[in-house]
Structure formats: structure tokens, C-alpha cells
Amino acid sequence: MRQPNHPESNDKVFGVWDIAAFLLENRKTIAVFVAATVSAAVVYLLLATPIFVATTSVIIDPNRGAELFNAAPMPPTMTSDQSRVESQMEVIKSDRVANSVISRLKLEQRSEFATGPSLFQTVLARITPTSTASAAGEAGPPDTTEFREVASRFAGKLSTKRIGQSLVIEIAFSSADPNSSAEIANEIAESFIRTIVEAKSKLAEEQGKWLSERLETLQQQAFEAARRVNRFRSVGDSLSSQDARAKLEELESIATSYRKMYDDFQRQYNETLQRISYPDADVRIISRASAPLGKSSPRTSLVLAFAVILGGLSGTAFAAVRLTGDRAVRSLMQLSTNVGVTPLGAINDLSEASIWREGKLRCFSRSAPARDAAGGTLSRIAAGRLSASVKTDLRRLRTTIASLTANPDVLCIGVIACCEGEGSTTVAACLANEYARSGARTILVDSCADSRTLSQELAAGTTTRTQPNGRQESERAVGPGALTLALLPAAESYLQPGETNRLLTERTTAVLAESRLEFERIIVDLPALLSSDHWKLLIPYVDQVIIVVDFGKTTVDQTRDGLIELNLAGGKVLGAVLNRVPAIARKTWS
């Protein structure tokens, strides 16, 4: 059979209602993925080591100490504040500061930073004889590889950032111990300041050494210039008096220049000696770190929120991928174009009424036991507790059937589904109840010998009568519950001992023939098409057959196969009814 085209799939424009219907239909899949990701997140939160972050702040003060050594503040440097701050941040993260902190606090001995021996090293240590030095308790040279690993872990836990556009640097250190994180953060700031002080002290020493050498040279030059001036004054020269005066002024100017240079260098030398004796950094601590009160990671609310979002997106993606290969019937258009059967109408999901009327949210109604679900639905049908939308659907279905059957005086309709649990019993009960309420004399026949849902739920008032041959036969229960129609229970319920299933069909057909004389509408609940062959024996005795298609469950292929089976058995297919349609799905139909 050639597969018909599906024109609506090409021109379909997905909107808000399509997305809402898709999410509602795949709520179980999405819920499973969300539950899985949340469970994994909870396990992670229980097993993950909490991390505490302590912060300390330092400020760069270029003029710090200038009032002690200079009368005026030091002239500003040519570098910008951004360059100065970034340079100091790199100094904080340098190996020199890290090695100083690791050595002073002995971080290599802490379990958080220590590197345990590998499995190979452990096995090698067991099979290798112990050396004499180790047996004597002598320590070998430090393991530089291990120290570098400790420094690498230390650098991974350290972070720095500039606070706004200020000259303040925030130093943050993360650790599994809150007290340890505060201790290390404070030690980093102190080591950073010590590093600057040591660098300045070393620079001052080098400057002092160079100034000392330069002073000796300037002292000799100034002494020689002064001696030339004195010699010229005492001995004189053969020049004229005017030239001699100019020569003297030149020598005095040279001597004064050398003397001034010597005095300037002497002052700088004295300041350098003072800085060497009292070195001071241009950085100071403005806020010391304290033990954090709460963990910084993992953040419980953030992890759980991320797990919910990830699970929802994963479940939605999985459902979307699965939908590409899904051939379930979800619209009346598919019944006519993909299956080739006349759509009679659609009936809303009757389980949705319990959400508002009974206060029960049946999120997983499809997973409920079929008998319990059908029993509750049939009870609501018998009591007339149907929603206005379902009553409207039934009236439209009755009108459509009347238009297709030309309103015969007696009409026997068989209601059948492709597979078990697709709602044929519910549709049969609804249709029979609608005919009865419209004034037609109606009988509902239960021909499902296996399930007998109608017989068990609605035939509580059935009585028996004695036949002339002495056999007991069930009498039709007129008006079970709130139903205003007659109900014929399953034939199996009135089989006598010793009788075979061959009499099931005989009894049912005999009752159908008798019912045509008393009733105007006969609704027969037939067994599923693909579950048994018992329905084939009853098909010749019904006028029209209605196929019940379960929304989102019955596939196109199953409906086609059932339609072929009905045609081969000689059944006259009136059309198909789409059952259990969610109310939101109707909004997606155009």
C-alpha cells in the first residue's frame, strides 16, 4: 500500500500551543530526565568537598614613606594605574611569593597540598630493598618535582582581582578548611609585602654602592678644582689683569659645580642609607582575611537549578529526537490522509475532568492500571459527571453518525480498538449513554469475554431468570447506576456448566437479533482487533463499525492493519474516533 502524503507536516507552523502540547505529552520523559540529573546532583553535593574562600585586600600607595625621607612627595611615575596594579597582581602570583608562603607554612605537609605516592611507586618501594641512608634516618635532597606540584596546586587555589578602578587588590584563596584559607590569604599578603621590601632593600643597597663609588670620584674632582683655584690666586698668571680675572671666575665656577654635585650625591647617599636601614613598601594591607562562615562551592541552589535545567533540556531533546520516528496518530487529519479512514470526531481525555472536579492530579494517568482507570471513567459516565467539552464531543459524534447512516430506525454499531487499553469500552459507554439521553431506546452489549469491564462495573443490578429448560440465564439489567439504557453483560457470565465457548457467539447473536425488536440503538463493545479473533464472529451481525484510535498511542501502521483486518472480515467501517485527546492538543489543530 502506498503511503499517503501528509500535507499538514509541510505547511505546519509551530506556535506556543504546539510547544505546550509537546511538553505536556512528554512530561513523563522530561520528569525522568530531571529526576536523574537531580539525583546525580544530590550525590555530587553529598560527595563533593566544600570549598571555603577567604579574601584579604591590599592597596598600592606610591607616596608611602615619602614624608619620612623627602620634604615633598615623590614625583609621579609615568606608568598608569592600570599597569601598576596589573604588575603588582603578577607579583602576587609569582613563584617567589608562592615559594615563600609554602615554606613558611609548610604546606607540603598538609594533606590538601601533599602528593601521595603513585601505585607504581608504592609497589616499587615494597619490592626494592631499603637504602642505608633511609634506614639510618638521613633525609635525602628535597624532591623538586613534588615541590612544583605543591606550587601548582597552590597557584590553582589563588586568585587576584582589582576592585573597580581603585588601587586596591583583592587576594582570594580557596581551601577545604576555612581557617586554613584565611591563614594562607593573610600570609600571601604579608609575603607579597616582604617581597617588595626585600626588592627595594636590595635596590637601595646597589644604589648605595654605586653612589659611594661616585662620591669618591666627585670628591677628588671637587678637591682638584678647589686646589687649582687656590693656586691661581696665590701664584697668579702671566695674563693681563682682565684675562686673569676671567680665568679665576672660570675656575671658581668649575669648583662650585663640582662641589654642588658632590653635595647632591652626598644627600642622595644619605637618603639611600636611611632607606636601607628602614625599607618600606608602597603597599599596605587594608583588610585582613577571616575564616569564612559559609562555603563558596559547591553552591547547593545553583547546582540543583542547573540539574533541573539540564534534565529538562535533555528530556526535551530526547523527546524531540524520538518524535522524529514516532508514527502515533495525533490529529484527525492523520486519520484521513495517512490512514485513509473517515474521521468521525474526537473525544477529550476523560481523566482530565478529575483534576478540577475531584482535586486529583493524574500526571501519569496512562501508567495507571487499565481496569482501575476504566472503572473510574465508567462510574463518571454512569453518574453523568462529564465535562461540557466531552458532552459537546459526543453530540457532534452522534450527529456525524446520523448524517453518515441516514438515520435508520434500528442501528447496531460495533465499537472496536486496535489494541487493548485504547478506550473502546469508554467510547462505547459514552456513545450508548448519549443515545439513551437523546431519547432513543438503547442497549449496550459487552462482548469482551476476556476483560468484561462493562459487566463488572455497571451490571451490579443484573438478575437471573429461569428458562423453560431449567437453565438460569442473566436478565438484562435496565438502568444500572445512573444509566438510562439497558446493559447486556458478557456472554461468558451466563454460560452453564459443560457448555463450550462456541455458545458465546450463538448467545450473543441471538440476543442481538432479539434486541433489534426492542431497541433503536445497539452499541456493541467488541474485543480488540489485534488481540483476538473473537470479534470476527460478531462482525456480520453489526451494521457499522467504529474504530477507536488512542491519541499519541495508536500508530498509523496499527490503524492501517486493523482497517485491513476489518475489510477482510467483511466489516463495514463507518469511521474512526480519536480518543483521549488532551484539551491543549486541540489548540494545535488548524
Side-chain angles (χ1 to χ4, degrees), residues 271-283:
E271 291 177 359
T272 303
L273 292 180
Q274 290 176 352
R275 292 187 180 276
I276 294 175
S277 61
Y278 182 70
D280 191 15
D282 56 359
V283 177

Side-chain angles (χ1 to χ4, degrees), residues 48-370:
T49 302
I51 301 300
F52 300 87
V53 177
T55 59
T56 182
S57 301
V58 297
I59 186 171
I60 302 174
D61 189 0
N63 296 324
R64 178 177 173 85
E67 66 278 2
L68 181 62
F69 303 111
N70 296 322
M74 296 178 64
T77 59
M78 298 300 295
T79 58
S80 62
D81 293 342
Q82 179 70 20
S83 301
R84 185 183 299 110
V85 172
E86 290 182 356
S87 300
Q88 299 297 348
M89 290 170 61
E90 294 300 324
V91 174
I92 295 174
K93 294 185 291 185
S94 63
D95 293 339
R96 184 172 182 179
V97 175
N99 296 340
S100 175
V101 175
I102 294 172
S103 301
R104 291 179 66 87
L105 299 181
K106 300 185 182 303
L107 298 183
E108 69 277 0
Q109 299 178 3
R110 301 188 183 184
S111 58
E112 186 177 0
F113 298 91
T115 304
S118 62
L119 180 61
F120 176 76
Q121 292 175 345
T122 304
V123 174
L124 186 63
R126 290 182 179 273
I127 63 177
T128 304
T130 307
S131 62
T132 307
S134 300
E138 298 178 2
D143 187 5
T144 56
T145 302
E146 180 180 356
F147 193 86
R148 287 198 300 269
E149 292 179 356
V150 174
S152 177
R153 292 188 179 90
F154 178 87
K157 298 174 180 293
L158 172 63
S159 62
T160 59
K161 70 176 183 179
R162 182 183 182 184
I163 305 300
Q165 299 298 322
S166 64
L167 298 179
V168 178
I169 300 176
E170 183 182 84
I171 303 173
F173 193 84
S174 59
S175 174
D177 183 14
N179 297 322
S180 178
S181 62
E183 179 187 10
I184 297 176
N186 291 327
E187 182 60 31
I188 292 173
E190 295 174 358
S191 297
F192 169 56
I193 294 176
R194 284 196 301 269
T195 301
I196 295 178
V197 170
E198 292 175 359
K200 286 194 171 186
S201 177
K202 184 177 180 181
L203 179 61
E205 291 179 359
E206 294 177 355
Q207 290 178 351
K209 183 178 179 181
W210 180 81
L211 288 174
S212 176
E213 297 175 354
R214 183 60 177 165
L215 279 174
E216 293 181 1
T217 304
L218 289 175
Q219 186 179 14
Q220 293 294 333
Q221 292 176 350
F223 177 75
E224 290 294 335
R227 188 173 59 180
R228 285 197 296 269
V229 171
N230 293 332
R231 181 184 300 170
F232 187 83
R233 286 177 178 174
S234 59
V235 178
D237 201 341
S238 59
L239 300 174
S240 62
S241 58
Q242 185 176 0
D243 294 337
R245 188 180 301 107
K247 183 66 174 179
L248 179 61
E249 291 177 357
E250 180 183 359
L251 294 175
E252 289 178 350
S253 176
I254 295 174
T256 302
S257 299
Y258 276 111
R259 185 64 186 179
K260 186 177 180 180
M261 293 174 59
Y262 176 79
D263 292 340
D264 291 340
F265 271 82
Q266 183 66 40
R267 185 179 67 258
Q268 294 180 10
Y269 179 70
N270 293 335
E271 291 177 359
T272 303
L273 292 180
Q274 290 176 352
R275 292 187 180 276
I276 294 175
S277 61
Y278 182 70
D280 191 15
D282 56 359
V283 177
R284 57 187 173 89
I285 299 176
I286 59 174
S287 176
R288 298 186 65 85
S290 58
L293 299 178
K295 65 179 181 179
S296 299
S297 64
R299 298 181 179 179
T300 304
S301 58
L302 186 61
V303 171
L304 292 179
F306 177 76
V308 171
I309 295 174
L310 179 62
L313 293 177
S314 301
T316 304
F318 178 80
V321 173
R322 186 179 60 183
L323 183 62
T324 58
D326 188 13
R327 294 178 54 80
V329 179
R330 288 185 171 83
S331 68
L332 297 176
M333 183 68 71
Q334 286 183 272
L335 292 176
S336 60
T337 57
N338 288 22
V339 180
V341 65
T342 303
L344 301 178
I347 300 178
N348 281 357
D349 191 354
L350 272 66
S351 62
E352 294 181 351
S354 62
I355 298 177
W356 306 106
R357 299 193 179 193
E358 303 176 10
K360 299 178 181 179
L361 181 61
R362 301 180 61 184
C363 295
F364 304 97
S365 57
R366 295 296 180 89
S367 64

Side-chain angles (χ1 to χ4, degrees), residues 14 16-27 30 315-321 323 584 588:
F14 288 92
V16 177
W17 290 115
D18 296 274
I19 298 175
F22 171 78
L23 295 177
L24 182 63
E25 183 179 352
N26 296 278
R27 58 188 181 274
I30 298 175
T316 304
F318 178 80
V321 173
L323 183 62
I584 194 174
T588 64

